[in-house]
Amino acid sequence: MNPFYHIPYYPAFDKMTPANADEALSRLLPEANAAIDALETTFVPTWPGLMRPLHDACQPLYDAWGLLCHMLSVMNSDAWRQVQEKWQAELVTFSLRVGQSRTFYQAYLALRAADKTAPLLTPVQRRILDKTILGAEQAGVGLLPERQARFNTLQMDLAKIGTSFRNNVLDATKAFSLTLRSREEADGLPPALLAVAAQAAAAAPQGERPAEPPSPENGPWKITLDTAVYLPFMMHSRNRAARETLYRAYVTRASAGETDNTPLIEQALALRRELANLIGYDTFADLSLSTKTAKTVAAVDDLVARLAAAARPAAGSEAAELLAFARAHGFAEDALQPWDIAFWAERQREHLYDYSDEELSRYFLFPRVLEGLFELAERLFGITIAPADGEAPVWHPDVRFFRVSDTDGAPRACFFLDPYSRPETKSGGAWMNDFRTRERLSDGSVRLPMAVLVCNQSVPVGNTPPVMRFNEVNTLFHEFGHALQHMLTTVDEPDASGVNGIEWDAIEIASQFMENWCYDRATVRSLSRHADTGEPVPDALFDRLVAAKNYRAASAMLRQLFFAATDIDLYARYPRPGWSDADAVKRLNAERYSPAPLVAEDRFLCSFSHIFGGGYAAGYYSYKWSEVLSADCFAAFEEAGLDDDSAVRATGRRYRATLLALGGGEDPMSVFQRFRGRAPSIEALLRHSGLSGNR
Ligand code: ZN
């Protein structure tokens, strides 16, 4: 049996190889194409005669592809990569073929018309159908052949521009380095950074390599623009001239020479505008927002303006306090330059909150954190989570398996947890994936959802206890929030159940919501047991933790708003008389939003991959949008009284019945209304960030 071919409920992760993935895809792809061919001639424009069989025709192929991508992300090797590369384009072609089928498009319209005359569909099915129709239209299904050809060319060109843009940023980042040769020049750098920088010097190409092998203690040290080096360097280096050099290099990346992204920016903006116009939208922002909950440019403008109004005064005091602190500690000039801010902010943070990440991590033992998280889920949502290791195959011995049931014993879901960092084989970061989506099968039974949480937390060394850094605890809660939304869905249609079918700017609500509990005193007490003393986090340390979270929160918020406002201006209002180029739009917004003035040669847009080389074009605001909503959800618990256990439980059940249960089956804004009984407010986020005076 090939583990990728018509996959059983519990995938045989222990038997998966690149060779059998390759073999399975070579059968599944023609089978899926044949099934689509057949359906195009035999369909009936009803749900069971069209939508369901269409889903079923694609599923075996998509399931196999999903598991192949999963294996690549957790057990990376050249062989897995080759299989993925071999089939990638074929998968894209297949999904385009389904999405652009005029036969199916006419059938969707017929089904919608029939449903309007005499209701045939459930509200969830209607929402899926509407999204499918919009998706086909935005894929260019309705265009005349000549215009469709232009549309496809634009799509292809935009994909190429995105790739070149990202590659230019990577190449420009790699092209710069600064070598420090004396202890004096490297003053202030923490040991971990010295070690990385000495290693980088040792790896320099022959000819540039120093005569003596570099050492962490004596250098030389090669400082690069890699975020993992650049950020700590700017925070810790006492070498002000080097900080200035690094800063200027960083903000001018990919803005000149062979890696100049300036022309690509103007091209990307023009092509996206043309693409949007072709399918009937005035601007690319209108197209982007048509599939998001914010819906209109005006709604995004309004969010940015209101958050900025709240953050500006506080950011002014943050800047004044930082300057005063720096001057009291030896800074002799009248103003901090951009390359001074991270350095002095880090000194001020240490001074104010005085705890180290190491010290804090001694309180968070992984097994206890997990138990505490499960107890919280039981209390809030009435579910029981039980280890079931060994009951399903896994891809690595560290992977755990759990079952989720209602407290009355009814099974709801199961999930895998792959906790530890494995830099050789696992992609960085953390994520939640769905292997199985809740679905009512044709025999009337329900197939339960299955999720996987992948983290990259610290690996216990030798016999030391498995402690977690506080940000790793946060990450685990975040991913568990995604998983809860996937697992506790009550929607039976797979295209809208769990995390499927949720709008881009609403997908992070459930995850960020869970992060709030990491700053809830009772939850942190229950999660923490000191590795030596068994004590929970003391109150005084907890208070510093909360205060440190909001350190310079207004400046951080303004920075995000600067990015969001620039993005929306470029995709909604550019070009416009008086705006000479994209950089002029950036400078205008920097004056309005940037917490500190930019240097004259700043060309930050040339490395803004999110909106030119990634999926955030006219969507950067999504970060703040979902943060507002998740903070407002948590505020419902605060209003009920976090100390009142029965109120917390009742609110949790309501959250489960709305946010977690309805998922993609209903507009997320109306789901929010069901939970909150009103439209969202920015007050909770401002209060949680310490920006409204009363926390
Ligand atoms: Zn997330």
Side-chain angles (χ1 to χ4, degrees):
M1 282 294 284
N2 186 323
F4 284 97
Y5 190 75
H6 294 279
I7 299 155
Y9 182 76
Y10 297 109
F13 291 111
D14 53 341
K15 306 227 162 43
M16 290 180 178
T17 65
N20 52 39
D22 186 46
E23 196 271 335
L25 286 170
S26 71
R27 283 192 280 161
L28 288 167
L29 198 73
E31 284 175 13
N33 268 310
I36 294 293
D37 287 344
L39 188 62
E40 275 183 327
T41 58
T42 60
F43 74 87
V44 190
T46 61
W47 195 267
L50 170 67
M51 299 302 280
R52 196 54 212 230
L54 183 58
H55 174 89
D56 293 345
C58 303
Q59 212 48 42
L61 176 65
Y62 288 162
D63 279 349
W65 180 250
L67 288 175
L68 162 60
C69 294
H70 167 73
M71 291 305 282
L72 181 69
S73 65
V74 292
M75 298 298 284
N76 198 310
S77 70
D78 285 346
W80 281 115
R81 211 174 306 167
Q82 278 157 17
V83 183
Q84 204 238 15
E85 275 165 18
K86 175 174 167 189
W87 293 99
Q88 179 130 51
E90 306 247 22
L91 260 287
V92 173
T93 309
F94 174 78
S95 69
L96 276 179
R97 185 228 148 143
V98 176
Q100 294 184 339
S101 160
R102 290 190 66 88
T103 311
F104 289 144
Y105 179 64
Q106 296 301 335
Y108 305 146
L109 294 180
L111 175 54
R112 179 151 77 181
D115 178 56
K116 283 226 167 82
T117 319
L120 296 166
L121 305 177
T122 65
V124 171
Q125 290 172 341
R126 210 164 283 140
R127 185 169 136 93
I128 295 172
L129 180 63
D130 285 343
K131 285 187 165 216
T132 309
I133 291 172
L134 185 61
E137 287 165 352
Q138 296 186 343
V141 73
L143 297 175
L144 295 169
E146 212 170 286
R147 306 189 104 207
Q148 192 168 52
R150 177 66 189 152
F151 180 89
N152 290 347
T153 309
L154 287 171
Q155 291 278 32
M156 223 95 81
D157 288 352
L158 278 165
K160 274 189 226 149
I161 289 173
T163 307
S164 307
F165 192 96
R166 289 191 304 273
N167 288 342
N168 282 343
V169 175
L170 284 175
D171 291 347
T173 303
K174 270 191 264 173
F176 178 91
S177 71
L178 178 69
T179 302
L180 306 176
R181 300 183 189 282
S182 68
R183 303 279 307 173
E184 209 171 27
E185 285 179 331
D187 190 19
L189 302 185
L193 183 55
L194 289 173
V196 172
Q199 207 169 37
Q206 212 147 33
E208 293 171 34
R209 221 176 289 163
E212 288 289 304
S215 79
E217 296 76 29
N218 301 311
W221 303 274
K222 186 174 163 186
I223 307 299
T224 66
L225 298 180
D226 248 3
T227 335
V229 174
Y230 174 76
L231 294 180
F233 184 86
M234 297 305 284
M235 279 158 57
H236 296 288
S237 170
R238 298 189 166 276
N239 182 344
R240 191 173 183 225
R243 288 205 312 261
E244 179 176 351
T245 308
L246 258 285
Y247 178 85
R248 290 186 189 276
Y250 193 78
V251 300
T252 52
R253 276 178 305 157
S255 67
E258 278 178 22
T259 59
D260 190 359
N261 270 336
T262 315
L264 295 185
I265 290 174
E266 301 297 335
Q267 281 169 33
L269 292 169
L271 296 191
R272 287 214 168 88
R273 203 161 49 237
E274 188 187 343
L275 186 90
N277 293 160
L278 262 181
I279 49 176
Y281 294 87
D282 283 343
T283 68
F284 183 78
D286 292 334
L287 167 60
S288 165
L289 292 170
S290 71
T291 57
K292 297 187 171 77
T293 64
K295 291 201 175 74
T296 64
V297 171
V300 177
D301 289 343
D302 182 57
L303 175 82
V304 171
R306 288 194 296 146
L307 291 177
R312 261 191 210 106
S317 350
E318 285 171 5
E321 282 161 25
L322 186 63
L323 178 62
F325 173 85
R327 290 181 57 88
H329 291 80
F331 183 73
E333 293 181 21
D334 291 334
L336 292 166
Q337 297 300 325
W339 47 90
D340 296 322
I341 292 180
F343 174 80
W344 285 107
E346 186 59 15
R347 303 290 80 71
Q348 192 188 24
R349 197 191 63 78
E350 286 169 359
H351 176 82
L352 290 173
Y353 308 113
D354 186 37
Y355 68 83
S356 77
D357 208 32
E358 288 322 306
E359 178 198 332
L360 187 61
S361 73
R362 303 291 293 163
Y363 286 96
F364 295 105
L365 292 162
F366 176 43
R368 179 58 223 164
V369 169
L370 214 47
E371 275 170 43
L373 173 58
F374 295 168
E375 285 163 16
L376 177 67
E378 173 157 12
R379 180 171 162 237
L380 295 179
F381 310 127
I383 52 172
T384 306
I385 299 171
D389 298 297
E391 291 177 25
V394 294
W395 52 93
H396 187 279
D398 288 344
V399 177
R400 306 278 319 270
F401 181 64
F402 299 90
R403 289 190 189 282
V404 181
S405 52
D406 286 327
T407 30
D408 67 10
R412 302 297 314 194
C414 58
F415 68 94
F416 297 88
L417 170 62
D418 187 349
Y420 298 122
S421 158
R422 284 197 302 279
E424 339 68 69
T425 54
K426 200 199 266 189
S427 305
W431 64 90
M432 193 284 297
N433 238 340
D434 55 315
F435 289 150
R436 296 287 171 211
T437 295
R438 182 187 165 91
E439 176 175 357
R440 189 164 298 276
L441 303 173
S442 45
D443 65 3
S445 65
V446 167
R447 196 174 67 165
L448 295 178
M450 178 190 286
V452 56
L453 284 78
V454 182
C455 295
N456 265 297
Q457 68 197 47
S458 316
V459 185
V461 186
N463 288 327
T464 60
V467 295
M468 297 173 79
R469 294 180 178 280
F470 186 63
N471 70 340
E472 294 170 347
V473 176
N474 255 282
T475 302
L476 178 65
F477 272 60
H478 178 107
E479 300 310 333
F480 193 67
H482 282 307
L484 283 170
Q485 187 167 39
H486 188 65
M487 297 191 294
L488 297 183
T489 184
T490 55
V491 175
D492 287 340
E493 290 292 345
D495 288 332
S497 87
V499 292
N500 295 296
I502 299 180
E503 280 74 358
W504 176 283
D505 55 359
I507 198 85
E508 296 299 334
I509 300 173
S511 51
Q512 293 181 347
F513 166 77
M514 284 306 289
E515 289 187 53
N516 284 286
W517 295 95
C518 296
Y519 294 94
D520 168 50
R521 195 180 298 269
T523 304
V524 170
R525 279 191 75 84
S526 109
L527 290 180
S528 54
R529 296 282 181 277
H530 194 277
D532 304 322
T533 66
E535 289 294 308
V537 169
D539 278 347
L541 181 56
F542 176 79
D543 291 338
R544 275 182 282 159
L545 194 65
V546 173
K549 166 178 162 267
N550 289 337
Y551 172 66
R552 290 177 61 77
S555 308
M557 183 173 299
L558 275 186
R559 193 174 156 74
Q560 287 296 101
L561 296 176
F562 164 44
F563 298 159
T566 305
D567 168 44
I568 212 75
D569 268 351
L570 286 173
Y571 284 112
R573 303 182 179 96
Y574 181 79
R576 173 190 269 195
W579 290 359
S580 54
D581 58 6
D583 205 60
V585 180
K586 178 210 71 181
R587 288 196 300 272
L588 206 70
N589 280 298
E591 276 167 35
R592 280 189 203 140
Y593 301 104
S594 179
L598 307 179
V599 292
E601 76 263 37
D602 178 281
R603 301 297 300 282
F604 146 74
L605 284 186
C606 289
S607 55
F608 199 5
S609 296
H610 272 84
I611 69 161
F612 297 115
Y616 279 88
Y620 197 87
Y621 76 94
S622 300
Y623 288 109
K624 279 285 163 245
W625 186 267
S626 52
E627 216 181 327
V628 164
L629 291 158
S630 61
D632 205 3
C633 286
F634 187 72
F637 290 80
E638 296 173 313
E639 286 160 20
L642 286 170
D643 299 329
D644 179 345
D645 190 56
S646 65
V648 167
R649 285 171 190 268
T651 313
R653 298 310 190 273
R654 207 150 45 78
Y655 181 85
R656 174 179 171 180
T658 51
L659 263 291
L660 297 181
L662 302 175
E666 192 175 313
D667 180 335
M669 297 309 270
S670 93
V671 174
F672 178 91
Q673 286 261 7
R674 280 175 190 264
F675 172 62
R676 217 53 181 96
R678 57 159 173 77
S681 149
I682 63 168
E683 279 315 307
L685 177 61
L686 294 181
R687 186 166 47 81
H688 293 162
S689 314
L691 295 177
S692 68
N694 50 338
R695 200 198 137 81

